[in-house]
């Protein structure tokens, strides 16, 4: 069975969000992509108080200077499409008020006919946490735990009840309800995060950094699920951040998903062999505009399918 393919929506500053998001969403559905995805980057600190991913000295990419709000972007895509699933990889969940996030996702799922995938992560930016003001970054794991609990409660039957540190609902009717149970998927790599995923989530959102690394993490997650007695299958969507070039990259230091369409597809084939269900391809960084993004997305999709992905 072929691996499902998804495409990231255009959120960066070279795009006209109101026009290009619906346009790319419709085109992706027509091309054959089965899902559309957003990511979250709330701000670009100047000067940065920490490096990218919290790594000292690592510069933030210029693309992060302007990233459209993820749920607004998904709403634009939902209105322009009929079939594709609508996911976040990832939404930095602890930057959001739990109850309002749960209600927004439920409304989007109801409006789109049951197409939402709630992909959550904890993030790493001190500046984003300070700006959001929900809780300090040191508490991000506990906040994510409560967000998952609040989502399950709000999306479930009425009356809704929840008694947590951030959210207290004595007894209430909360609608609209999702069209179906919204899957919660988590970005997770360390033991604590993987355990949270096994115990409380529906799926895993890894990032493609190399076949051996992904295969090892996937095996670790499956072993942990067996150890903890999980019976439900773990859904999987691999995110790949592609750096497309019209010409092939001929350096010996080429990283995965860097180069022309043939090189990107070569890496897609290799990663598909790990056995994950779906791969979402983020191609939005290097194209100059939406038309170029659509052209590249078409080329990558057609070559990937021809190669058996």
């Amino acid at each position: 069975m072929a691996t499902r393919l998804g495409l990231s929506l255009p959120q960066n500053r070279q795009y006209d969000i109101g026009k290009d998001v619906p346009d790319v969403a419709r085109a992706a559905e027509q091309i054959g992509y089965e899902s559309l995805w957003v990511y979250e980057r709330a701000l670009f600190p100047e000067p940065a108080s920490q490096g990218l991913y919290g790594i000292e000295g690592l510069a933030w990419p210029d693309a992060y200077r302007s990233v459209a709000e993820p749920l607004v972007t998904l709403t634009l895509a939902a209105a322009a499409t009929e079939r594709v699933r609508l996911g976040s990889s990832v939404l930095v969940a602890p930057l959001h008020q739990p109850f309002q996030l749960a209600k927004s996702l439920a409304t989007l799922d109801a409006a789109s006919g049951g197409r939402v995938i709630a992909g959550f992560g904890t993030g790493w930016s001190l500046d984003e946490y300070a700006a959001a003001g929900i809780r300090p970054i040191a508490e991000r794991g506990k906040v994510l735990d409560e967000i998952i609990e609040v989502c399950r409660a709000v999306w479930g039957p009425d009356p809704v009840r929840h008694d947590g540190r951030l959210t207290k609902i004595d007894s209430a009717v909360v609608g609209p309800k999702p069209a179906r149970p919204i899957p919660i998927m988590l970005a997770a790599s360390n033991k604590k995060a993987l355990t949270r995923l096994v115990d409380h989530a529906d799926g895993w959102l890894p990032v493609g950094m190399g076949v051996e690394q992904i295969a090892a993490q996937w095996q670790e997650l499956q072993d942990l699920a067996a150890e903890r007695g999980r019976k439900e299958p773990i859904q999987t969507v691999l995110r790949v951040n592609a750096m497309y070039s019209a010409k092939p990259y001929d350096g010996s230091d080429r990283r995965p998903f860097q180069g022309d369409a043939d090189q990107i597809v070569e890496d897609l084939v290799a990663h598909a062999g790990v056995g994950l269900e779906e791969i979402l391809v983020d191609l939005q960084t290097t194209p100059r505009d939406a038309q170029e993004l659509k052209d590249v997305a078409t080329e990558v999709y057609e070559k990937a399918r021809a190669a058996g992905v």
Side-chain angles (χ1 to χ4, degrees):
M1 181 177 178
T3 304
R4 295 196 301 264
L5 290 176
L7 182 72
S8 280
L9 290 163
Q11 293 175 263
N12 295 348
R13 64 177 178 173
Q14 71 265 44
Y15 302 106
D16 180 331
I17 301 303
K19 177 170 69 74
D20 291 345
V21 170
D23 180 34
V24 171
R26 281 190 293 267
E29 188 169 66
Q30 292 167 1
I31 291 166
Y33 285 97
E34 297 181 66
S35 55
L36 296 170
W37 297 83
V38 292
Y39 75 106
E40 183 158 37
R41 193 82 285 133
L43 47 72
F44 187 99
E46 281 190 324
S49 60
Q50 63 181 153
L52 183 69
Y53 311 130
I55 301 172
E56 185 176 356
L58 189 59
W60 290 47
D62 192 62
Y64 287 175
R65 288 183 177 274
S66 177
V67 179
E69 201 283 329
L71 294 184
V72 172
T73 305
L74 279 184
T75 301
L76 290 169
T81 56
E82 298 178 354
R83 171 185 55 80
V84 286
R85 288 169 295 115
L86 307 161
S88 54
S89 178
V90 294
L91 197 74
V92 185
L95 301 182
H96 299 260
Q97 197 277 339
F99 176 79
Q100 192 57 53
L101 177 59
K103 188 170 174 65
S104 294
L105 288 167
T107 302
L108 180 57
D109 193 73
S112 65
R115 294 190 279 147
V116 171
I117 302 165
F120 295 156
T122 55
W124 46 267
S125 171
L126 298 171
D127 297 278
E128 290 183 338
Y129 270 82
I134 304 297
R135 294 299 299 169
I137 194 170
E139 299 179 21
R140 60 191 182 276
K142 292 180 180 179
V143 175
L144 179 56
D145 288 337
E146 183 164 349
I147 286 172
I148 294 172
E149 293 172 358
V150 171
C151 285
R152 301 289 195 204
V154 168
W155 301 341
D158 295 321
V160 174
R161 296 183 177 89
H162 180 79
D163 184 14
R165 293 191 313 146
L166 297 174
T167 303
K168 297 186 182 297
I169 308 170
D170 289 334
S171 179
V173 174
V174 183
K177 299 295 184 185
R180 90 302 188 215
I182 299 174
I184 294 177
M185 304 187 72
L186 300 180
S189 56
N190 61 50
K191 181 66 175 292
K192 188 173 183 179
L194 291 171
T195 300
R196 176 186 293 116
L197 189 161
V198 168
D199 292 348
H200 302 295
D202 299 292
W204 182 42
L205 295 169
V207 177
M209 303 294 287
V211 174
E212 292 183 3
Q213 181 184 23
I214 291 298
Q217 288 183 337
W218 178 223
Q219 188 60 57
E220 179 185 359
L221 181 55
Q222 292 178 91
D223 291 345
L224 182 62
E227 175 187 317
R228 298 184 70 82
R230 177 175 174 130
K231 303 300 182 185
E232 301 83 4
I234 296 174
Q235 301 172 37
T236 53
V237 180
L238 174 71
R239 178 186 183 90
V240 299
N241 299 312
M243 297 297 293
Y244 171 81
S245 171
K247 298 179 180 179
Y249 187 90
D250 57 6
S252 60
D253 59 342
R254 188 180 80 87
R255 290 176 286 180
F257 305 104
Q258 179 183 25
D260 65 3
D262 289 324
Q263 290 173 316
I264 290 172
V265 169
E266 179 183 334
D267 292 328
L268 286 174
V269 171
H271 282 73
V274 174
L276 305 182
E277 296 173 306
E278 185 164 356
I279 301 176
L280 81 94
V281 189
D282 190 337
L283 294 163
Q284 70 179 297
T285 301
T286 51
R288 292 165 295 182
D289 53 32
Q291 184 58 54
E292 187 173 346
L293 174 58
K294 291 187 293 182
D295 291 344
V296 173
T298 300
E299 183 181 12
V300 168
Y301 182 87
E302 292 178 349
K303 289 186 174 182
R305 289 308 188 210
V309 177

